[in-house]
Amino acid sequence: MNQNVEQSAAASSASPAAKPNSFAAKMMAKMGYVEGQGLGATGRGRLAPVETQVRPTGAGLGAVREKTKQAKEEEKREAAFRGEILQDSEEEEKKRRKELRKKRMSAVGGAASTPAKPKTKYRTAAEIEADAKGLQVPNVLKSIIDATGTETKLLASTAGLMTTHNQMVSGETDAVKIARKARREVEAFVDEWNTVSEQKKFFELEESQCVQAMDELDEDSRGLEKVIEVIQDLQSTVAEDWGIPNDATLWGKVTKKLEHLENDYVGKLDTMTLQEVAVAAIHPLFKTAMHDWRPLENPVGVTPYLLRFSRLLGIQPASSGTDLVTQSDPQIYSSRPSKSTTPYETMLYTLFLPPLRSSITNDWDPNNPSLLLSLIQVWSPILPAFILTGLTHNLIPTRLITLLATWKSSKQPSSKHPQSQPHSYIFPWLPYLPPDQLSPSSPTGLFATLKEKLKSLFQSYPLTSGPPSTLTSLFPILPHSFLKEMLNRHLLPRLATHLSHNFLIDPSDQVLTPFTAVLAWTTPPWSFPTATTAHLMQAEFFPKWHHVLYLWLTNSPNNQEISEWFQWWKEQFPEPLRDHEIMAKEWTKGLETINLALDLGPENVAAKLPPPEAGPVRPLPSQTTPSSSSKRMGAAAKVTTVDDEPITFRSVVESWCADNSLLFIPLREADPATG
């Protein structure tokens, strides 16, 4: 039976070669198959059909070799394509068994051999004395210890006489035991000697530290006695001179004594808590000075005295001299992190800040920033960071915002109610204001108020008055993108409406007032690009201009006058605007209309000249037919103008909704109470 199975397996594994002209061979050739190469586009597929491996009847997995020789060859060929070397499973098994056999042999050989016992190494008396400094080994013990050398020496008598034997003694005698015991006792004694020596060194070091600490305590005690004397001297000085009309004399005496105290204990200012002493000494004087102090009239105050002993008060020197350190370096007072205020900070907060806050709120005029600026610059080196931040981040910006909210831009300020322009009181504070006050994206702050004022200005300012000269002074603090957005959003539509409603083209009596008013808003230093102005003229000026040119050419024209009129209008525009490609296109369009009218002739021009292709953006008012005798260009004449649309509450609400991306939908419902 087994023989039949093997024959059937051999028969099934032998695959006959495909006939060259068979249907299967032709189909494989069409798909790109080349005989002798593997399947697939890269030729890495199988070379022969899958070979079967038949197991005997009733045999399970593992009874025979599952992989055929053909399958192994295919695996090796695929591994060669990948750059790998594939070993047969039989070779791997042989290698594994060989390594396991080596490990077993090495383990058997190691177990058979007995490891050598380490030889005990004994120290001689000289080595022991060298290791234990100050220890002297007795001569008797030296003889016993020296008996542990390379030669066997036994104790012959209790006097320590040694007898040398060249041969090993079979049994251990009492002398050997005594010698070994003596050696162990000496070794233990040496160890204890070393321990005591280490303890002695430790106690000596501790004693020196205690002596040093006592010396320092004595020095501190003497220093405290001197401090007490200085304090008593300060108390007596203040008590004797208190009530003197000239406070400068008393301030000078106290400051001089505190200066000496600072110089004498410059390295112990923190450990001896001298800051409390200094604050307690100047507190009565400082309280009196702050009670009568007028910050804006006398910005210097008592700063010269405080600066003389600033280190004693815990004040760190400012990194930028007398200039105020801005928000980029808030640690201008002290780098010491603390959750509570120091005595000096508490004194300033309770005595210095209230009169200054009252003066800024009630007496200071933001139109005159120099007084408060000088005060901030003088006091900033000795002010704590939280007080300085409260002034420059909250109190001062609030006053500036209040003043800016009342600003009304006008070309001619009233002499009865003079007002300063924003740049005069905003620019000096720019280095000191926090970033949120000057950020265009901030919903509150100084810049937000300025933004609302500019928006209202662009929506209500009379265009015929020309741009206010004072407004250009604000350009340095306005980002270019922000200014461009404001102009395009609020001013450009008004210019287009003004040019459309109020400007007429009349060759017989031309009025340029609306035209020049618009051009004044579109020239530098205003940030309207030339292309924007050209588009404005293309939308609002040229439709009217082409319409008038068409009417003139179709009503008995005077070609010389038309030529002069054409050239005169080109000269009314600035050169960069006149030569822009959009403007050049419109001029060319006008020339083509004139040339076409000349080609048609006087008899056909009225009937065959086509009207302008692009009509006016908005309906034009009735135009009068230009007279053939019109030669005066730009004569002054009164024309009826349409006033700018008034600003209503609804327009303000709609503008606010547009700025905040909101949709304004009128409900058109009457109020239930009022109707």
Side-chain angles (χ1 to χ4, degrees):
M1 180 176 179
N2 294 339
Q3 185 178 1
N4 295 335
V5 171
E6 293 176 357
Q7 290 177 358
S8 62
S12 62
S13 62
S15 57
K19 296 180 180 180
N21 297 326
S22 63
F23 174 77
K26 292 179 180 179
M27 183 173 63
M28 294 290 286
K30 289 181 179 180
M31 290 188 291
Y33 173 73
V34 179
E35 188 175 0
Q37 296 182 2
L39 298 176
T42 59
R44 295 187 179 186
R46 299 185 64 86
L47 289 173
V50 179
E51 186 179 9
T52 59
Q53 179 74 8
V54 183
R55 292 193 298 271
T57 305
L61 293 174
V64 296
R65 297 176 180 175
E66 298 295 335
K67 288 186 179 180
T68 62
K69 183 178 180 181
Q70 182 194 46
K72 294 178 181 179
E73 293 296 333
E74 288 291 340
E75 290 181 355
K76 290 182 179 181
R77 193 170 66 87
E78 293 178 1
F81 278 122
R82 297 192 300 268
E84 301 175 357
I85 299 177
L86 185 65
Q87 296 181 352
D88 293 338
S89 58
E90 294 180 358
E91 296 178 358
E92 294 177 357
E93 182 67 19
K94 290 179 181 179
K95 184 177 180 181
R96 188 181 65 81
R97 290 180 180 179
K98 186 175 180 181
E99 292 178 355
L100 183 61
R101 191 180 300 109
K102 288 182 179 180
K103 290 182 180 180
R104 290 177 179 176
M105 293 298 294
S106 61
V108 171
S113 59
T114 302
K117 185 178 180 180
K119 185 177 180 180
T120 305
K121 184 178 181 181
Y122 300 103
R123 294 185 296 175
T124 63
E127 294 174 346
I128 291 176
E129 290 179 348
D131 293 339
K133 295 182 179 180
L135 177 64
Q136 295 182 358
V137 181
N139 294 330
V140 176
L141 294 180
K142 285 183 179 180
S143 301
I144 297 175
I145 295 172
D146 289 338
T148 60
T150 56
E151 298 180 354
T152 303
K153 296 180 179 180
L154 298 178
L155 185 61
S157 65
T158 57
L161 299 177
M162 314 304 294
T163 304
T164 302
H165 297 273
N166 294 329
Q167 295 182 354
M168 293 294 295
V169 181
S170 58
E172 187 177 28
T173 62
D174 293 339
V176 174
K177 294 179 180 180
I178 293 173
R180 184 170 62 251
K181 184 178 180 180
R183 182 180 65 247
R184 292 175 180 173
E185 291 178 353
V186 172
E187 292 286 349
F189 183 81
V190 170
D191 294 339
E192 189 66 24
W193 177 273
N194 291 333
T195 302
V196 173
S197 300
E198 293 295 332
Q199 291 179 354
K200 180 182 178 182
K201 294 179 181 178
F202 172 75
F203 290 134
E204 290 176 351
L205 178 61
E206 191 174 13
E207 181 184 6
S208 63
Q209 292 177 352
C210 291
V211 171
Q212 183 179 359
M214 292 178 63
D215 295 339
E216 293 177 355
L217 289 176
D218 292 340
E219 184 179 357
D220 293 342
S221 177
R222 290 191 296 270
L224 289 175
E225 292 176 357
K226 293 182 180 179
V227 171
I228 293 174
E229 294 177 0
V230 173
I231 294 174
Q232 293 175 352
D233 189 14
L234 286 171
Q235 290 177 347
S236 61
T237 302
V238 174
E240 292 175 0
D241 298 340
W242 186 257
I244 296 178
N246 187 8
D247 291 339
T249 304
L250 184 56
W251 267 103
K253 292 181 179 180
V254 174
T255 302
K256 186 176 181 180
K257 295 181 182 298
L258 291 176
E259 276 185 310
H260 290 308
L261 184 64
E262 178 184 89
N263 296 330
D264 294 340
Y265 300 95
V266 64
K268 300 180 180 180
L269 298 178
D270 296 332
T271 58
M272 300 187 68
T273 63
L274 297 180
Q275 183 180 156
E276 290 85 344
V277 175
V279 172
I282 66 173
H283 188 275
L285 302 177
F286 191 80
K287 183 177 181 180
T288 304
M290 292 297 103
H291 183 269
D292 301 330
W293 184 44
R294 299 295 180 264
L296 299 179
E297 298 176 4
N298 181 20
V300 177
V302 295
T303 52
Y305 304 110
L306 299 179
L307 288 172
R308 290 170 60 180
F309 54 95
S310 59
R311 288 182 298 175
L312 187 62
L313 296 174
I315 303 172
Q316 299 296 334
S319 59
S320 59
T322 58
D323 294 336
L324 176 62
V325 182
T326 58
Q327 63 276 0
S328 61
D329 186 14
Q331 300 295 336
I332 62 173
Y333 169 66
S334 175
S335 60
R336 175 189 54 83
S338 177
K339 295 183 180 179
S340 60
T341 58
T342 64
Y344 174 72
E345 294 172 346
T346 304
M347 182 182 68
L348 289 182
Y349 182 76
T350 56
L351 301 179
F352 165 80
L353 189 58
L356 180 59
R357 184 191 295 115
S358 176
S359 180
I360 294 176
T361 305
N362 302 323
D363 303 333
W364 178 54
D365 182 11
N367 290 306
N368 186 11
S370 58
L371 295 177
L372 188 56
L373 274 174
S374 60
L375 186 145
I376 294 296
Q377 292 173 352
V378 170
W379 281 87
S380 60
I382 57 176
L383 285 182
F386 70 93
I387 293 180
L388 197 56
T389 301
L391 294 176
T392 58
H393 290 201
N394 298 322
L395 197 57
I396 295 175
T398 302
R399 291 300 314 275
L400 295 177
I401 292 173
T402 304
L403 178 61
L404 183 61
T406 62
W407 172 61
K408 294 181 180 179
S409 176
S410 60
K411 189 174 182 181
Q412 297 294 338
S414 175
S415 58
K416 296 182 179 180
H417 303 284
Q419 62 173 352
S420 300
Q421 299 303 322
H423 69 276
S424 63
Y425 54 83
I426 292 180
F427 281 8
W429 293 105
L430 288 181
Y432 312 135
L433 295 176
D436 59 326
Q437 293 288 342
L438 302 175
S439 175
S441 60
S442 178
T444 59
L446 190 63
F447 198 93
T449 306
L450 181 61
K451 179 179 178 181
E452 292 298 325
K453 299 301 293 185
L454 291 178
K455 179 180 175 181
S456 176
L457 168 67
F458 291 145
Q459 291 178 347
S460 60
Y461 189 83
L463 299 178
T464 55
S465 299
S469 58
T470 57
L471 193 60
T472 57
S473 58
L474 292 174
F475 287 176
I477 64 173
L478 299 177
H480 178 73
S481 58
F482 165 77
L483 183 60
K484 181 180 179 181
E485 179 185 0
M486 291 289 292
L487 294 176
N488 291 340
R489 194 170 191 175
H490 303 290
L491 181 60
L492 188 60
R494 292 192 63 210
L495 295 178
T497 303
H498 182 77
L499 195 62
S500 175
H501 291 174
N502 301 333
F503 176 62
L504 297 177
I505 296 180
D506 186 2
S508 61
D509 193 7
Q510 184 65 58
V511 177
L512 293 177
T513 303
F515 177 77
T516 55
V518 171
L519 282 184
W521 287 89
T522 58
T523 54
W526 299 90
S527 59
F528 275 115
T530 305
T532 302
T533 308
H535 280 292
L536 175 63
M537 294 301 167
Q538 185 184 33
E540 302 298 343
F541 169 80
F542 278 105
K544 297 180 181 182
W545 187 83
H546 287 300
H547 182 69
V548 171
L549 178 62
Y550 171 77
L551 293 177
W552 200 348
L553 291 173
T554 56
N555 289 275
S556 303
N558 185 327
N559 296 331
Q560 182 64 26
E561 291 182 356
I562 293 177
S563 175
E564 294 176 358
W565 179 78
F566 180 88
Q567 187 64 29
W568 180 82
W569 266 117
K570 290 186 67 175
E571 294 174 355
Q572 302 307 309
F573 291 92
E575 184 177 357
L577 179 61
R578 180 176 64 242
D579 298 337
H580 193 271
E581 57 180 355
I582 296 177
M583 302 288 289
K585 181 180 178 182
E586 296 297 331
W587 298 129
T588 304
K589 181 179 176 181
L591 287 176
E592 292 176 352
T593 303
I594 295 174
N595 293 332
L596 181 59
L598 294 176
D599 295 340
L600 292 175
E603 60 278 358
N604 297 325
V605 65
K608 295 184 179 181
L609 182 66
E613 296 180 0
V617 177
R618 298 180 178 86
L620 289 173
S622 58
Q623 300 279 0
T624 58
T625 302
S627 173
S628 60
S629 61
S630 300
K631 294 183 180 181
R632 297 172 57 192
M633 301 298 169
K638 295 183 179 180
V639 295
T640 304
T641 60
V642 181
D643 295 335
D644 293 336
E645 297 181 2
I647 298 177
T648 62
F649 177 75
R650 174 171 178 169
S651 64
V652 174
V653 174
E654 289 178 346
S655 178
W656 181 85
C657 292
D659 293 341
N660 293 272
S661 301
L662 298 176
L663 182 61
F664 178 77
I665 303 177
L667 296 178
R668 302 190 184 281
E669 296 180 358
D671 185 76
T674 61

